[in-house]
Amino acid sequence: MNVQKRGVGTHDSSPSSLPFAGIELGGTKCICTLAHGPDLILDQRTVPTTTPDETLPDILAILEEWHDGFGFAALGIASFGPLDLDPASADHGRILATNKSGWPGTDVRGILSRAFPVPVGFDTDVNGAALAEIRWGCAEGMADFAYVTVGTGVGVGLIVHGKPTRGIGHSEIGHLRVPRLSDDTAPSVCGFHDDCVEGLASGSALAARLGGRAMADVPTDDAVWEPIVAALAAMCHAVACTTGPRRIAIGGGVLNGQAHLLPRIDAALRESMGGYMPLPPVGEYVVAPRLGGLAGPLGSIALAIEAQTV
């Protein structure tokens, strides 16, 4: 278990001053955070994501330590998906048809929360990150916002009128099918779709396109970036036309260290729109997340805060 202290604050045992506990359950690691907010993180620890039988007991041990030591007002769980988020469903709180071996059907909400008599917030990791950016980051004060992470996969946290979208399921915009460039014949890395954003523009897709080259060694004018930009701009076009977010933040491993990508995606989006919709000025629509690498961990804290206020 890798423990990382992010900050230390004074502690008062009165309920009004209790911190919030949050779990960001990711595909490779889980980040456990005890905090009042971004300016006062009391403890933060990392647990590898292996199997449910190994990972979840380790997380529970941390939560029990915090509950017995500090106490916490509410618990937020922001998990990789897909998830069953319907409270009326028999599978509510479970991971659904994920590609991560051993995890489909796991009752992550129930296992991590049933021992603690506190309100529980449960949503996708990207929806949590979107809510964190609205509360403390680049979308502060906005009720309509999209948070995109482009890493191993492509996830989109879509907030409409202040709430994450629901319906038959949560947002899965990373699997939106988009037109390929005419000369793009690279195989999709998505096992479900030949031409979805995740299959064409995720970190996994980029690695396949690079054929062993290190991303850090690829120049900004290399042709490999063209289908990445095209797919992400097409996704932004669809999101802007359907739900009209006031801002789209794009982060994740593919964007990190590639400062040229955001302006190119923004420019491709505006060209695609052809002046049809009045987008905000350049530099104010497609942006980087202000919270950076803390967007995900703070997303679980945002879910806990929202659960307490419901």
Side-chain angles (χ1 to χ4, degrees), residues 4-279:
Q4 181 183 14
K5 298 281 185 178
R6 299 290 305 190
V8 178
T10 58
H11 176 63
D12 185 323
S13 60
S14 62
S16 62
S17 69
L18 289 177
F20 299 92
I23 307 299
E24 183 198 13
L25 189 64
T28 58
K29 64 182 178 180
C30 305
I31 301 179
C32 310
T33 303
L34 185 70
H36 291 274
D39 296 327
L40 185 51
I41 296 175
L42 303 175
D43 196 3
Q44 192 168 76
R45 311 188 196 183
T46 301
V47 175
T49 306
T50 55
T51 67
D53 289 342
E54 292 177 345
T55 299
L56 298 183
D58 284 347
I59 295 173
L60 269 174
I62 294 170
L63 290 173
E64 288 166 358
E65 178 186 334
W66 288 344
H67 187 264
D68 294 343
F70 287 90
F72 47 82
L75 171 64
I77 303 169
S79 176
F80 69 88
L83 305 173
D84 190 324
L85 299 177
D86 181 2
S89 169
D91 291 326
H92 177 232
R94 295 181 182 271
I95 294 177
L96 300 177
T98 179
N99 288 320
K100 190 162 182 62
S101 178
W103 285 87
T106 301
D107 183 12
V108 292
R109 185 188 189 279
I111 292 170
L112 294 178
S113 69
R114 65 171 57 102
F116 308 107
V118 297
V120 178
F122 178 66
D123 214 316
T124 65
D125 48 0
V126 284
N127 278 344
L131 292 170
E133 286 288 343
I134 287 173
R135 186 174 288 272
W136 300 297
C138 71
E140 194 168 354
M142 295 182 180
D144 298 273
F145 171 65
Y147 172 91
V148 182
T149 182
V150 186
T152 303
V154 176
V156 182
L158 184 62
I159 309 300
V160 177
H161 304 328
K163 298 291 184 182
T165 56
R166 290 293 190 262
I168 62 170
H170 52 74
S171 166
E172 282 287 356
I173 296 172
H175 289 274
L176 184 76
R177 302 181 80 159
V178 294
R180 285 175 174 262
L181 295 179
S182 59
D183 59 349
D184 182 20
T185 60
S188 168
V189 299
C190 175
F192 296 92
H193 312 110
D194 290 333
D195 51 8
C196 70
V197 183
E198 182 166 299
L200 300 180
S202 63
S204 302
L206 177 59
R209 292 177 183 278
L210 291 176
R213 289 190 292 165
M215 185 170 67
D217 297 334
V218 180
T220 59
D221 60 353
D222 193 289
V224 75
W225 300 115
E226 295 175 7
I228 306 294
V229 169
L232 293 173
M235 178 193 71
C236 290
H237 182 129
V239 171
C241 287
T242 51
T243 62
R246 296 190 177 277
R247 182 161 292 160
I248 300 174
I250 309 180
V254 171
L255 277 291
N256 292 342
Q258 300 293 334
H260 64 103
L261 288 178
L262 279 178
R264 291 174 66 177
I265 294 166
D266 185 273
L269 167 62
R270 292 172 190 277
E271 181 180 359
S272 176
M273 282 291 185
Y276 181 69
M277 294 184 72
L279 298 179

